[in-house]
Amino acid sequence: MFEWARNPYYILIVIYVFAPYFARDIIGADLLASGALSDLDPDTALAIANAQGQATIASVTKWAGIIAALTAPFLGAALDRGGRLKPVLAVALTTIAVSSSLLWFAMPGGQGLPIPGIMALLVIAYVAFTYSEVTHNAMLSVSGRPDRLSMISGLGLGLGNLAATLIFIALVLLFVLPALTGWPFAAPLFGIDIGEFEHIRLAGPICGVWLLGFSIYFFRHAKDPGVPGASWRKALVEGARSVLRTLREAAKYRELMKFLVARMFYADAMAALLALGAVYVALFLGWGFLEMLCYAIFASACAFAGGLFGGWLDTRIGVKRALVVEIVAMMIAMTAQLSITRDSLGFGLIENYTVWDGLAFQTLSDIVYLSLISVVAIAATASLSSSRSMLVTLAPPGRSGEFFGLYAIAGTITVWMGPLLVQYFTLWFTDQRIGMASIVILFLIGLTTLLFVRMPERGIRTA
């Protein structure tokens, strides 16, 4: 229920709906409207505006990653030694909900919130999201029997994506289709104005209300491993000392540290693939808003299956082998996607053609690219589940919160690297596909490092 309540924020705001809107329709559109690029030809001006939008999103992610990387390990260590975890989680979730709801006031043309204010909200929510993940992961070990933790983790991730899918479907049926076709309603409900991007801005308040509403069940029923009445001040001091000691004694946890280094690279590659993939396909294949929403719905539905698949695969072949399979699957699917253009497939081997004349996905390129998204979504979500399970397996008993803090570092400290590679490779070669292909570098580094991690005989699974 925690993942069901919280994950729609990340999926809608960070990946599919708000971030592309902020980059394209606020940052990019405002730059074009300012006249600063009026002396350039339209295509060049649009490319520069899009690059500025992407750079702004990268800046938000960079600052949020730096803050989280410097603080999350100390929070995790304190959670292992402090009082009740639910109050900490309540503060983090409330911060996300409030920040998300305020995004309703993010409008183009200088209306509503100023751009620095929007960026600040995104940074605050991103950091709070990381804190909530560290806190929730510290509760994972008491959520069930050790041999069931993979399935519990996978089910949670799957439910989070299912929740996002339901919200996407609601946006399409209540607002987008009525505006485009007059079906299933004559006009968008509740007076929503598509021309003012209200259907996109509404995603923020929806995620905020969804988060608070569905968190109630979790707070009422989830087991809290914290000690009532324990001193948080003492826990923070002892936790900080423990983190510093852990870093100094990293050689004692060599396999765990190798895994965290591997995750630092493959998780950054995966995050870049998911976040920039939506922007890439919108620009390169020319997908419109309806197609992007359908893309998000399909990817989220597949990700639900991926959460379940990841837990199952862990138990069948071992968590490390499962993770290797999932990373390789993402690399193969991404390569196949990059072989697709508006004119051909398979790097020019197959000519593209129109399949039907429906509202969306009319060509063979569109349909094949959409089908490959299912592989990426399933493998990506499964890898999240497998990564958490591997951390639980490798972490010393009683110190999972502390190491989930270091786990957060591995997922945030280089989170800017993927977008940076894509940006510079695109500019150097003036080719979007080469820019996206640069993500493979991070995947290869992470995969190679992962192969050298030795799994212990103890734990819930071995590999």
Side-chain angles (χ1 to χ4, degrees):
M1 289 302 297
F2 171 83
E3 305 273 23
W4 170 275
R6 187 196 65 151
N7 285 15
Y9 169 82
Y10 192 88
I11 295 170
L12 270 76
I13 304 303
V14 178
I15 299 180
Y16 293 116
V17 176
F18 187 83
Y21 159 70
F22 183 47
R24 179 185 62 241
D25 300 309
I26 296 182
I27 301 297
D30 287 357
L31 180 58
L32 291 172
S34 70
L37 307 178
S38 59
D39 58 333
L40 303 174
D41 65 87
D43 290 339
T44 302
L46 181 60
I48 293 175
N50 288 337
Q52 184 61 44
Q54 180 172 304
T56 303
I57 295 296
S59 178
V60 168
T61 307
K62 175 191 69 179
W63 285 110
I66 290 172
I67 295 170
L70 294 175
T71 56
F74 298 97
L75 172 63
L79 293 175
D80 285 334
R81 296 162 176 80
R84 292 296 190 184
L85 274 59
K86 286 184 179 179
V88 178
L89 204 52
V91 172
L93 296 184
T94 301
T95 301
I96 298 171
V98 172
S99 300
S100 180
S101 298
L102 289 174
L103 294 177
W104 166 260
F105 300 103
M107 293 177 273
Q111 305 177 66
L113 294 170
I115 287 176
I118 300 171
M119 295 175 67
L121 286 175
L122 293 174
V123 169
I124 291 169
Y126 192 109
V127 173
F129 192 93
T130 302
Y131 288 170
S132 70
E133 182 176 6
V134 172
T135 308
H136 175 253
N137 286 343
M139 301 171 68
L140 181 62
S141 61
V142 297
S143 298
R145 300 195 315 269
D147 61 336
R148 302 298 296 170
L149 291 183
S150 277
M151 291 303 297
I152 292 170
S153 175
L155 177 61
L157 289 168
L159 287 174
N161 282 279
L162 177 60
T165 301
L166 296 178
I167 297 176
F168 282 132
I169 292 174
L171 291 175
V172 171
L173 294 179
L174 299 180
F175 311 123
V176 180
L177 284 181
L180 294 177
T181 67
W183 182 90
F185 306 101
L189 298 188
F190 314 118
I192 293 298
D193 188 345
I194 300 294
E196 294 294 325
F197 303 104
E198 290 182 354
H199 58 306
I200 299 177
R201 291 156 46 205
L202 190 62
I206 287 175
C207 289
V209 172
W210 183 281
L211 172 56
L212 294 180
F214 284 107
S215 293
I216 295 173
Y217 184 88
F218 169 81
F219 280 103
R220 290 185 61 186
H221 298 285
K223 185 177 180 180
D224 191 331
V227 180
S231 170
W232 277 108
R233 180 180 177 279
K234 182 178 179 182
L236 287 169
V237 172
E238 293 182 354
R241 291 173 179 169
S242 178
V243 169
L244 296 176
R245 185 170 59 251
T246 298
L247 293 174
R248 287 196 302 266
E249 300 174 356
K252 295 183 179 179
Y253 310 106
R254 182 175 299 177
E255 304 310 315
L256 189 145
M257 291 300 173
K258 283 193 292 186
F259 164 64
L260 292 179
V261 170
R263 181 182 180 272
M264 182 171 66
F265 287 99
Y266 75 71
D268 188 32
M270 182 180 68
L273 176 60
L274 294 176
L276 299 178
V279 177
Y280 170 80
V281 74
L283 297 175
F284 198 72
L285 295 184
W287 285 8
F289 186 73
L290 177 60
E291 288 166 315
M292 293 303 294
L293 268 184
C294 293
Y295 160 28
I297 291 170
F298 180 64
S300 297
C302 292
F304 168 70
L308 303 179
F309 174 74
W312 174 83
L313 191 63
D314 286 355
T315 60
R316 295 293 296 176
I317 65 175
V319 64
K320 177 183 169 182
R321 293 191 186 98
L323 199 47
V324 169
V325 168
E326 291 148 7
I327 294 172
V328 171
M330 281 188 281
M331 294 172 63
I332 293 174
M334 187 183 75
T335 302
Q337 286 178 327
L338 294 178
S339 76
I340 299 172
T341 70
R342 299 189 193 189
D343 301 319
S344 65
L345 300 85
F347 296 106
L349 295 177
I350 303 173
E351 185 176 353
N352 190 28
Y353 59 88
T354 300
V355 176
W356 71 316
D357 59 354
L359 288 175
F361 309 116
Q362 298 173 342
T363 69
L364 180 63
S365 289
D366 294 336
I367 294 172
V368 173
Y369 195 101
L370 185 67
S371 67
L372 290 169
I373 288 169
S374 64
V375 179
V376 174
I378 291 173
T381 309
S383 74
L384 293 174
S385 176
S386 298
S387 295
R388 294 199 304 195
S389 299
M390 191 162 179
L391 190 283
V392 171
T393 303
L394 291 171
R399 299 176 68 180
S400 60
E402 176 183 339
F403 280 94
F404 267 118
L406 297 179
Y407 180 88
I409 278 190
T412 58
I413 198 170
T414 59
V415 75
W416 47 269
M417 190 180 297
L420 188 68
L421 283 176
V422 172
Q423 180 183 3
Y424 277 95
F425 271 73
T426 302
L427 293 174
W428 288 337
F429 295 94
T430 61
D431 189 307
Q432 278 188 268
R433 288 198 290 177
I434 293 178
M436 287 295 292
S438 65
I439 296 173
V440 173
I441 297 172
L442 299 178
F443 269 129
L444 286 173
I445 296 173
L447 178 61
T448 302
T449 306
L450 179 65
L451 292 175
F452 286 94
V453 177
R454 297 174 57 189
M455 298 297 290
E457 293 299 325
R458 64 171 181 84
I460 56 177
R461 282 157 313 279
T462 57

